Amino acid sequence: MAHTCIHWFRKGLRLHDNPALMAAIKDCKQLYPVFILDPYLHNNACVGINRWRFLIGALKDLDGSLRKLNSRLFVVRGKPEDVLPKLFTKWKVTRLTYEYDTEPYSLQRDSKVTSLAKERGVEVIYKVSHTLYNIDRIIEENNGKPPLTYTKLQAIAKTIGPPKRPIPAPTMDDMKDVKTSSSENHEKEYGIPTLEELGLDTAPLGEDLFPGGEREALRRLDEHMKRTKWVCSFEKPQTSPNSLSPSTTVLSPYVTFGCLSVRTFWWRLTEVYRGNKHSDPPVSLHGQLLWREFFYTASLGIPNFNKMEGNSVCTQVDWDTKPDYLAAWREARTGYPFIDAIMTQLRQEGWIHHLARHAVACFLTRGDLWISWEEGQKVFEQLLLDGDWALNAGNWQWLSASTFFHQYFRVYSPVAFGKKTDKNGDYIRKYLPLLKKFPAEYIYEPWKAPRSIQQAAGCIVGKDYPHPIVQHEVISKKNIQRMKLAYAKRSPESPSKSKGVKRKAASIIEMIKKKAKVK
Ligand code: FAD
């Protein structure tokens, strides 16, 4: 039977290594590639203007690539469980395909949509391609528990073997019997909206440093993979949080939106490594992709992963509620130039280096401000181009020493840390031009500069730039004691003290599997 198919793009905004799209094309006469602007996911609290621009760019690129295959992208708005049944009827759909997505919201959404599809006789096929492995399998291999250490994850990955090889993008030959019927009204009914049409304020947008889209992703991947020596000697801790141009790949936004397949990334690295001496996980680039896998597995296996309460592996901490401190951190007004420069880069450009994320996350939580990691997570979710539910939650727990990492007495100094890789403070001068005339001696601590130097720099601390919000030396010591207390309160049976947690979240995953065809 020749099918009429909807391929539902959500993440996975690409044609290469897209097994669910290939499943849609198989035995298909009519293909409708659909993207849904879902008010739950696509709202201004979750998506900042930089990320909106990235998404719209990625959709345009996808539409361009589909057009080359004589197809089109159909963008619709609304709740998927409302929108899709209407489209099933309108287009007489017989098959729905999509990429497996393990976020709790996505699992519930997909479960609902799958039921609605089945009720209408629509076959549902989904495929794993957002992660290197089927992470359900990793959990199964670990006796139903998500591995809580990287070493354990690595050991399981080893027993499973290398990730599946990516599959090529569909060709004109694959599409020879497939049509996409679009009307003259397509732009009006199903076109990709502009940022203005979405009612977004584009005034804060700066240069588009990381344009969205699969073609840009593959171009950037190619560029990096040409640098054999750099790739082979890559060691994450040796990269710099405050270089003026990024010291790591910045492929994360492309991986998050699925413009770049993580398996393509993995296998391209394997090719570069072949025959060469190279670094290894956890510090290598392969190692970075395994970190991603680690947090994805944890996020699927640990209920309430993005919260402290109800999260069985997370240390319960009596974080303070200090809206003025939180606002100062978010708005780059802490009075610590290194922290404020990072938060400015985040707001302006949507990407900051991993160790810069360390510095500001530690500062907000256990280091200085004693504000819950959940608050930081929300700000990152909105401002990061690569905002990813699992990675954001997992890394915030790590940095706040709530889960995975327990050396809470190791605190980043908001002054000394940045100096290690940027003595002259060029990074601060770039993002906080107000401070650019301070001599290197004072650029990290302008409040220590004599009045005459502040005057000569044209910036008076307390008037033009704030005094430090807290005294790091004093507060960080107090906070270490508070953290010690929180650790002491953890019950001996607390799963966060043992090696793993029993998985309770299986029900939704199993529900979906029963309803959809797992391939
Ligand atoms: P590279 O070093 O070039 O690494 C290559 C790829 O590996 C990345 O693109 C990413 O997909 C993956 N990766 C690298 N580091 C990590 C890591 N620590 N954990 C998981 N995957 C990793 N990353 C996100 O993609 N989305 C987030 O929302 C996010 N939130 C974070 C929040 C905090 C508090 C911290 C400390 C880190 C967070 N990270 C997040 C992880 C990491 O900082 C970014 O993935 C990385 O900086 C992206 O830059 P890159 O592509 O140049 O990384």
Side-chain angles (χ1 to χ4, degrees):
M1 167 182 156
H3 282 276
T4 298
C5 302
I6 289 182
H7 175 71
W8 180 13
F9 283 100
R10 303 101 64 87
K11 295 169 188 166
L13 300 179
R14 63 172 182 270
L15 299 192
H16 74 280
D17 195 29
N18 194 333
L21 176 64
M22 290 311 268
I25 290 169
K26 195 167 176 271
D27 305 323
C28 171
K29 60 178 189 323
Q30 278 284 350
L31 175 71
Y32 293 98
V34 166
F35 182 86
I36 303 175
L37 281 168
D38 173 353
Y40 180 84
L41 293 176
H42 305 112
N43 62 64
N44 293 349
C46 301
V47 187
I49 189 67
N50 277 309
R51 212 152 85 246
W52 268 116
R53 174 167 67 181
F54 190 96
L55 172 63
I56 297 300
L59 295 178
K60 278 190 190 153
D61 179 66
L62 188 60
D63 186 42
S65 303
L66 287 164
R67 282 173 190 234
K68 286 190 188 139
L69 295 172
N70 291 332
S71 186
R72 292 291 305 258
L73 186 66
F74 293 69
V75 177
V76 287
R77 301 184 201 191
K79 283 182 7 197
E81 56 269 38
D82 295 338
V83 164
L84 283 167
K86 287 185 193 140
L87 295 181
F88 294 155
T89 311
K90 184 171 178 187
W91 293 333
K92 302 191 176 55
V93 171
T94 57
R95 184 191 278 162
L96 170 72
T97 63
Y98 59 79
E99 182 185 60
Y100 184 42
D101 182 341
T102 50
E103 285 183 29
Y105 169 74
S106 311
L107 287 169
Q108 288 196 19
R109 173 198 63 194
D110 294 349
S111 164
K112 278 187 221 154
V113 166
T114 298
S115 299
L116 293 165
K118 300 256 149 156
E119 280 164 21
R120 286 160 180 78
V122 177
E123 179 191 23
V124 178
I125 300 176
Y126 68 88
K127 301 273 190 180
V128 173
S129 53
H130 189 61
T131 43
L132 292 172
Y133 295 96
N134 178 348
I135 54 182
D136 287 304
R137 167 99 194 271
I138 296 183
I139 293 174
E140 268 162 40
E141 294 284 333
N142 194 43
N143 302 320
K145 298 177 238 166
L148 291 185
T149 65
Y150 187 85
T151 326
K152 186 83 199 160
L153 184 277
Q154 259 185 305
I156 295 164
K158 232 185 199 132
T159 61
I160 299 177
K164 276 192 184 162
R165 282 188 183 271
I167 58 166
T171 59
M172 273 309 274
D173 195 43
D174 295 315
M175 294 287 285
K176 66 179 185 303
D177 301 322
V178 183
K179 269 180 45 184
T180 296
S181 304
S182 62
S183 72
E184 277 173 13
N185 265 347
H186 186 93
E187 284 309 329
K188 213 170 145 219
E189 261 187 291
Y190 301 112
I192 300 163
T194 61
L195 296 174
E196 289 76 13
E197 280 162 6
L198 288 164
L200 298 163
D201 176 15
T202 55
L205 282 174
E207 194 189 338
D208 196 359
L209 294 172
F210 312 108
E214 176 181 19
R215 276 178 303 174
E216 184 63 21
L218 293 172
R219 190 191 68 73
R220 284 171 182 254
L221 179 70
D222 280 347
E223 286 298 309
H224 287 301
M225 295 305 111
K226 279 183 204 151
R227 303 157 70 198
T228 308
K229 214 171 140 204
W230 182 77
V231 168
C232 290
S233 59
F234 185 96
E235 291 193 2
K236 188 65 164 268
Q238 304 309 322
T239 59
S240 163
N242 45 8
S243 51
L244 295 186
S245 53
S247 60
T248 53
T249 64
V250 197
L251 287 171
S252 51
Y254 301 94
V255 174
T256 293
F257 280 91
C259 301
L260 176 63
S261 150
V262 67
R263 302 190 295 207
T264 302
F265 193 173
W266 176 275
W267 282 101
R268 289 291 301 276
L269 287 167
T270 306
E271 281 164 27
V272 178
Y273 291 156
R274 196 165 290 137
N276 289 309
K277 196 168 164 276
H278 61 84
S279 53
D280 284 310
V283 295
S284 62
L285 278 167
H286 261 176
Q288 303 314 300
L289 299 183
L290 287 174
W291 278 116
R292 182 172 180 272
E293 220 61 14
F294 173 75
F295 289 119
Y296 261 87
T297 313
S299 76
L300 179 64
I302 299 164
N304 302 311
F305 190 65
N306 66 335
K307 297 185 180 76
M308 179 177 79
E309 274 179 37
N311 176 340
S312 60
V313 293
C314 182
T315 301
Q316 304 296 302
V317 179
D318 62 339
W319 303 112
D320 293 337
T321 311
K322 290 184 242 170
D324 47 341
Y325 276 24
L326 176 60
W329 176 82
R330 190 178 54 224
E331 291 157 20
R333 294 188 278 107
T334 67
Y336 283 98
F338 181 51
I339 301 297
D340 293 342
I342 296 170
M343 293 307 287
T344 305
Q345 185 190 9
L346 173 61
R347 184 167 295 277
Q348 287 177 357
E349 299 176 3
W351 182 90
I352 48 176
H353 185 275
H354 181 60
L355 295 174
R357 300 181 198 206
H358 275 225
V360 295
C362 182
F363 187 87
L364 179 74
T365 58
R366 65 191 169 88
D368 296 82
L369 303 187
W370 203 258
I371 290 176
S372 165
W373 59 268
E374 289 179 45
E375 295 299 332
Q377 176 183 241
K378 282 184 221 156
V379 173
F380 269 29
E381 183 189 5
Q382 193 201 30
L383 298 182
L384 278 173
L385 285 174
D386 61 32
D388 175 293
W389 191 87
L391 303 191
N392 201 18
N395 277 287
W396 270 101
Q397 286 175 74
W398 184 294
L399 260 300
S400 59
S402 300
T403 314
F404 309 118
F405 172 80
H406 301 113
Q407 295 171 356
Y408 58 80
F409 41 85
R410 289 178 60 180
V411 172
Y412 288 101
S413 156
V415 172
F417 184 47
K419 277 189 189 170
K420 282 205 292 192
T421 40
D422 178 23
K423 250 199 164 44
N424 194 42
D426 292 336
Y427 175 81
I428 294 173
R429 294 174 208 281
K430 176 175 175 183
Y431 290 102
L432 301 178
L434 186 73
L435 299 177
K436 76 170 185 254
K437 291 196 182 135
F438 272 90
E441 193 185 349
Y442 296 112
I443 185 105
Y444 283 86
E445 300 169 285
W447 64 91
K448 287 192 176 165
R451 183 87 182 173
S452 58
I453 289 187
Q454 295 187 28
Q455 270 163 346
C459 173
I460 306 294
V461 175
K463 183 171 152 260
D464 305 310
Y465 182 71
H467 278 293
I469 188 167
V470 289
Q471 245 185 302
H472 173 73
E473 279 73 22
V474 179
I475 201 80
S476 58
K477 290 195 180 76
K478 280 192 188 151
N479 287 348
I480 289 173
Q481 291 313 312
R482 284 181 89 172
M483 208 63 187
K484 201 173 170 183
L485 278 177
Y487 268 59
K489 281 191 194 147
R490 297 196 305 181
S491 73
E493 304 84 55
S494 156
S496 51
K497 279 197 169 175
S498 63
K499 285 196 179 109
V501 278
K502 273 273 177 215
R503 180 173 166 218
K504 288 188 197 138
S507 54
I508 286 180
I509 304 159
E510 262 131 40
M511 224 159 63
I512 286 201
K513 275 194 181 148
K514 273 186 205 146
K515 284 185 179 149
K517 218 178 199 177
V518 193
K519 302 226 168 156

